[in-house]
Amino acid sequence: MTVDFTYALPYLLLWAAFGAAMVTGRRSVALGFTALSLAAAVPAGIVEWAGLAVLALFAGACLAAVRPESPRTRRALAWGVVVVLTAALATNQVPWIHNVLALDRVYVSASSADFTLYWDYDKGFAGILLYLACVQPQENPPWRRAIVATGAIAILATVVTLGTATAVGYTAWDPKWPAILGVWVPSNLLLTCVSEETVFRGILQRHLGRSLRGRVPAPAVVALLACAAAFGVVHIAGGTTYVLLATLAGIGYGAAYYVTGRVEASILVHFLLNLTHLFLFTYPFAA
């Protein structure tokens, strides 16, 4: 299962942007890869010219929202544009962006429901821009402590979430080597985990925690739980059981961010839980 290189190139360049941001810490380099991604997405037919204008507006708003020298009203307006366009891009509501259909009603195993996967360029682009512009700078905890804490939280979140999913019949034990791995991993890690954790933990949980200081006891914990609940609610299309499971998982992702102050920690916990689900349980759910 592969995707034609013409269609894959814009996504590979988004990956390069994320990697450059993590490794070098230089936003200019990462933004350069993001621009190259857009340049590849237009001739590939993924982004129309009108879509390019929307993404350029989003990028400009992200950068303007965090410029400390800008007037407060201008930054507030920019944040308003960021919020509206983030919601539109994350829910595939921009008609001039055409996401790539990578998998169409495939069965990961005999006991699984069918699975369709789109490579959501709109959601991935939004996640990368928000990560580059609106999440940095982050805390710098001792790396050994961060690794140990992230690993422990990943194990606990995976056991609790997938254990609950199995107990309620949403999933079943189903160990396998999935044939879809090659197209699933880059999509799930970049387009799902990076984008969702950047929004829910890197932006919402951090800013809500700050805004609640002095107003409620344990504001960081309240923000963690509120954002986990919101994370669950946005998965309502999967049904009430899925909302519950997403909320449980969101508590784990939020805990990783709470302990480390790094969105990369919550991204890793999110991805490891999803990867365990794919390898060891019916995916996306039991038929």
Side-chain angles (χ1 to χ4, degrees), residues 12-37:
L12 292 173
L13 290 166
L14 284 183
W15 259 110
F18 181 64
M22 284 191 61
V23 174
T24 69
R26 296 176 60 184
R27 189 168 68 180
S28 59
V29 175
L31 288 173
F33 279 115
T34 306
L36 288 174
S37 174

Side-chain angles (χ1 to χ4, degrees), residues 208-276:
L208 181 59
R210 289 176 177 175
S211 67
L212 291 176
R213 288 175 184 170
R215 300 180 181 181
V216 298
V221 175
V222 173
L224 187 164
L225 296 175
C227 290
F231 183 73
V233 170
V234 300
H235 290 82
I236 189 63
T240 54
T241 299
Y242 196 42
V243 170
L244 168 64
L245 296 172
T247 301
L248 286 176
I251 293 173
Y253 310 153
Y257 183 76
Y258 171 79
V259 169
T260 65
R262 303 288 306 190
V263 73
E264 294 87 355
S266 64
I267 290 169
L268 183 59
V269 174
H270 193 159
F271 178 68
L272 290 175
L273 191 155
N274 289 353
L275 188 66
T276 303

